[in-house]
Amino acid sequence: MPTAARLIAAICFGALGLAFAYAATTYFAEARQPSYWFPLNGGIGLIVGWVIAGTRAGNGTGAGIGNGITAGVALLFWVFFFVSFVDMIQKSMRNAYDGPVEAVVGIFELIGDYAVQFAQVDLGVLMLVGSVVSGLIIEFVAARWS
């Protein structure tokens, strides 16, 4: 059921996803991110905000902070998963894997590679502060308009 908290959560995490995408472009090799990088981050942010953060709103400040951090981690996981999945498909088209099981395992190896590549202080602070602030905004909206 649509609520104001879900809408604000989608907007907050969509914006956080785009902020992460913008800040992370410098950490790609030769600053060349995939062409789908910005829409992917914004879209996943919208979905994570609506589904994860928005549905759990209205349980207090401490729960809001935890909710925001949970949604932020989910945002990063799904972004890394989809980017790794596309990379795996591209590698498998070049016969880089011996079979389908190795390709699926390759997705998780690529997720680890992206996690290490983007393990930077500025990105961590951005995601932590952005997630906490978003969680608090969502709690404020849920208390005010629910």
Side-chain angles (χ1 to χ4, degrees):
M1 176 174 203
T3 62
R6 287 181 102 170
L7 176 65
I8 296 300
I11 292 169
C12 285
F13 280 98
L16 182 61
L18 288 174
F20 175 78
Y22 179 75
T25 55
T26 58
Y27 297 108
F28 279 102
E30 300 175 4
R32 292 185 160 181
Q33 75 274 6
S35 61
Y36 56 85
W37 180 245
F38 286 99
L40 177 73
N41 280 280
I44 290 177
L46 288 172
I47 293 169
V48 164
W50 184 269
V51 174
I52 294 177
T55 57
R56 298 176 181 162
N59 295 324
T61 304
I65 292 171
N67 184 18
I69 292 172
T70 300
V73 169
L75 169 67
L76 289 178
F77 172 78
W78 286 111
V79 165
F80 292 161
F81 179 82
F82 283 114
V83 172
S84 298
F85 182 78
V86 170
D87 283 354
M88 181 274 299
I89 294 294
Q90 291 172 348
K91 286 183 177 184
S92 66
M93 293 297 161
R94 290 177 289 187
N95 294 324
Y97 300 112
D98 292 332
V101 174
E102 187 177 336
V104 171
V105 171
I107 291 174
F108 294 99
E109 291 173 356
L110 290 168
I111 288 173
D113 292 343
Y114 278 115
V116 169
Q117 179 179 351
F118 293 120
Q120 306 294 329
V121 174
D122 60 339
L123 296 177
V125 169
L126 170 73
M127 288 305 294
L128 181 65
V129 171
S131 297
V132 169
V133 169
S134 295
L136 292 174
I137 290 170
I138 295 163
E139 282 302 313
F140 173 77
V141 169
R144 181 68 95 185
W145 287 301
S146 292

